[in-house]
Amino acid sequence: MTNNSETPLDGPSLSKRSFLKGSAAALGLAGLPLFARGAAAQTGTQGVVSGCHWGVFYGIVEDGRAVEFKPWEKDPQPSPQLPGVMDSLYSESRIRYPMVRRAWLEQGPGADPDGRGAGDFVRVSWEQAIELVANEIVRVRETYGQQALFAGSYGWKSPGKIHNCQTLLRRMLNLTGSYTNSSGDYSTGAAQVILPYVSGSLEVYEQCTTWNNLAENCELMVFWGCNPLNNSQISWQVADHGAWPGIARMKDAGTPVICIDPVRTETCEELNGEWIAPRPQTDVAMMLGIAHTLYEEGLHDQAFLDRYTAGFDKFLPYLLGENDGTPKTADWAAEICGLPADTLRDLARRFASKRTMLALGYSTQRQHHGEQVHWMLITLAAMLGQIGLPGGGYGLSYHYSSGGSPTHTTPILKAVDDASGQSTEGAAWLAGGGAVSIPVSRFVETLLNPGKTMQFNGHEIELPLIKMAYWVGGNPFSHQQDRNEMLRAWRELDTFIVHDVQWTASARHADIVLPATTSYERNDIEQVGDYALSHIVPMKQIVEPVFEARSDFDIFADIAEKLGQGYAYTQGLTEMDWIRKIYEAAKIESRAKGMEMPVFDVFWDSNKPLAFPVAEVQEDFVRHADFREDPLLNALGTASGKFELYSVAIERYGYDDCPPHATWMEPIERLDGPDTKYPLHLAANHPQMRLHSQLCGTVNRESYQIAEREPCWMNPADAEQRGLSDGDVVRVFNDRGQMLAGLKITDEIMPGVVRINEGGWFDPENPRQIGSLCAYGDVNILTTGIATSKLAQGNCGHTGVAEVERYDGPLPKVTVFSQPSA
Ligand SMILES: Nc1nc2c(c(=O)[nH]1)N[C@H]1C(S)=C(S)[C@@H](COP(=O)(O)OP(=O)(O)OC[C@H]3O[C@@H](n4cnc5c(=O)[nH]c(N)nc54)[C@H](O)[C@@H]3O)O[C@H]1N2
Ligand SMILES: Nc1nc2c(c(=O)[nH]1)N[C@H]1C(S)=C(S)[C@@H](COP(=O)(O)OP(=O)(O)OC[C@H]3O[C@@H](n4cnc5c(=O)[nH]c(N)nc54)[C@H](O)[C@@H]3O)O[C@H]1N2
Ligand SMILES: [Mo]
């Protein structure tokens, strides 16, 4: 299924990698039009086409007001979150006007830092707001140096090649000076740093063997902490939802499925999978137990290890316990992961006897020592020897943005750049422009420890002095762990500026808040599917901006103008000029690939996505098939050109928390851990009806809230032990903090684990008091703020234990979804 019925074309034989590198080997498609205009003109009651993280849709407007976001007819599985997407325009939590915290406005930067979050804002004019921001940028840079301005500004801003607010922030700052940036991301902070040593690539964002290929060839599908039917609702660009037809094909094929997860997931349910629930954070031990069985029973593929990997000989003594006296047997692993040893032995035999695909999600590396999990999975896959074969091996993005949907032949849209002189192609958000760069989740540590040195991926960095933070398109008061530690750190700041569309906890803790437009109040252009790249979609403006919202582009243009760089910032181009320019460049690139895109006006007026073809070889793509076929010609990007099961580079770093081969290490706390104080593990999963914190302030909340709070899932056995009933308001607490939640008792979760999704809005009962009870339910009050290890310095959003009790005190009102006082 290719979603491109407008076009009679077959795709050329291009791999995603080859055209990303720009070697446009376009074949045999010269001059064919990609779609005919006759099929167009779907405006009027059909609505206005646009796109968002949740997919392509049509905005239906009546009397200037959006009344429905209707899914695109070719979306194989529209996201149930779309009503909330529309409501994000109008909800009570929308930011309406530029606002400044009263103490900051009246007494200056740094005044009454404890009062942040208390809601005492003053409405100001746009003119005054721009002046305050521009002056403060100058003051901070002149007083403390360029590095004192932190503009890492991580987060899931809206898609679009122009209105990328983070690029635009850095564009304005690069044109006027410098700043401290951040590197890496929260999604795969640990894995993306270690995997280049192991497989020579970031790996976590690479295309997987396609679902088509799996349906034909896979005999055992293992979803290991991997849940496509929730997580592929969204994409970084505009979602294609190709995971749904992919999973449907697997279901039709009758492929046996195993789900290794503390939760019985949507994917497990749909595929009637066998549910295996180890203790969270013990996957490395479990994998070692399986690996040991493989070796002991001679089920491992020595020929594969010899030809395609390096360092197995140095891993083996650890596996067998020759150097530490502890063989990593199934019995040893069983003690740690809580599953019967026979289950592990059985898994080893089944993995080895079937064509097995190991599909790993990201949660397991968002944990203390998270680097080890992906390394151990690849070690296990290498021992099974199926990497590069149809239907076998491993895949790290089956759950993410519909990885495994075939990649189409398409030009890559080039976004407005950050004026740093760097290319914005590829994984630009992983690179760090700016004066200094810190690992993305280490900004709290940095605020609290300026001047301290930190190890990071083999080098030492000095943490800069930060006095101002500028955030656009992200919600650090949601995404960062250990909220109370963060509150302490925030008191070091003179100034915190936020642009957002919604009154998030971050906006509430800001000194200057500027109302940004949503994507639906401006024009843009984007691609559909991060892996599929199936269409280019006009992201058309649906309604006029509400209240005084302005686009980030225009806000930064005004600030740049104040700082003398207005023209350099805009280049004298309007929004539609930029869109046209980006489209025209793509048109040229597509011609080099043998395709002819329609002229811009035809594309824009067609009011629908422009389809691109998919080549047969992409439909049947097998990850690492080329390497398997010729490991010399297609060597991996590692030191040895092979999978490294032992890394000499990592050995040289000598980190006590990241040894040179995959290793089981106790996390600081875990379910039934040796020194763990609290009895319940927190599964801080990604939510079903939100994108992180996005849409928590909308109608979607009504579909999941319990007693007006964030749900806390609990197994009936744990509820009974505590005398709790379904629907109770509970207090969830540990030494780091406390929050309320609404209890949902369900046997979809294993005993000993409670699930509280990340992204619930932080709503402290007394904002001036650190440690105050959160009335709504932000799980990051309870998770740990420590880093995964010295290697990656990634976040540990899935590390945390707590206790749950009924809350019988007076119930604090949830106030976080209304306007702060003004
Ligand atoms: N405990 C725990 N914590 C986690 C995770 C976990 O699994 N467990 N997951 C982590 C992961 S993987 C991630 S990616 C992060 C996500 O963290 P974030 O990306 O920070 O979370 P979002 O809620 O998506 O925040 C995006 C914000 O940008 C705003 N926004 C959207 N479009 C625009 C725009 O055009 N302009 C402006 N100015 N603002 C806009 C939205 O309204 C929203 O407030 O959370 C991390 N935190
Ligand atoms: N609907 C929706 N989709 C999303 C997002 C969203 O916010 N909402 N966010 C997007 C983003 S930015 C990202 S990075 C990805 C995140 O993708 P992931 O990090 O893979 O997603 P999670 O939901 O955190 O976890 C996936 C599964 O791992 C299980 N799990 C948790 N801990 C463990 C463990 O210790 N061992 C094992 N075996 N399993 C465990 C969880 O129960 C869950 O079923 O999702 C993306 N997709
Ligand atoms: Mo993420």
Side-chain angles (χ1 to χ4, degrees), residues 154-158 165 186-187 366 472-476 479 481 499-502 504 516-517 522 552 684 686 691-694 758 779-780 783 797-798:
Y154 176 80
W156 270 67
K157 49 88 192 160
S158 299
C165 50
Y186 278 72
S187 315
R366 230 178 282 115
V472 291
N475 189 1
H479 68 230
Q481 289 64 46
H499 307 183
D500 207 305
V501 302
Q502 294 262 314
T504 61
T517 51
R522 62 198 189 207
D552 300 286
H686 285 232
L691 170 53
H692 313 298
S693 74
Q694 292 186 59
E758 53 107 11
V779 72
N780 276 329
T783 52
H798 278 270

Side-chain angles (χ1 to χ4, degrees), residues 140-161:
V140 167
R141 281 171 163 169
E142 283 180 355
T143 316
Y144 304 105
Q146 301 282 334
Q147 88 298 326
L149 202 175
F150 181 59
S153 191
Y154 176 80
W156 270 67
K157 49 88 192 160
S158 299
K161 293 296 180 236

Side-chain angles (χ1 to χ4, degrees), residues 464-533:
L465 172 72
I466 307 272
K467 295 305 282 184
M468 170 176 178
Y470 204 138
W471 232 284
V472 291
N475 189 1
F477 276 79
S478 172
H479 68 230
Q480 176 67 8
Q481 289 64 46
D482 199 342
R483 189 72 58 243
N484 288 313
E485 185 193 30
M486 178 169 175
L487 285 172
R488 268 187 287 280
W490 234 244
R491 298 186 172 179
E492 303 297 321
L493 285 176
D494 278 359
T495 301
F496 178 36
I497 302 179
V498 169
H499 307 183
D500 207 305
V501 302
Q502 294 262 314
W503 273 112
T504 61
S506 297
R508 284 162 199 272
H509 284 80
D511 298 303
I512 302 178
V513 180
L514 302 182
T517 51
T518 61
S519 299
Y520 331 115
E521 299 158 289
R522 62 198 189 207
N523 292 294
D524 212 324
I525 185 168
E526 190 51 280
Q527 305 199 248
V528 178
D530 297 358
Y531 297 92
L533 297 167

Side-chain angles (χ1 to χ4, degrees), residues 309-349:
T309 74
F312 183 69
D313 55 328
K314 290 189 168 159
F315 167 75
L316 192 56
Y318 168 74
L319 184 67
L320 301 180
E322 286 166 2
N323 49 10
D324 62 359
T326 306
K328 311 302 175 300
T329 60
D331 292 291
W332 166 84
E335 283 293 308
I336 297 168
C337 74
L339 297 169
D342 280 345
T343 302
L344 306 186
R345 282 189 278 265
D346 178 55
L347 286 174
R349 292 167 199 145

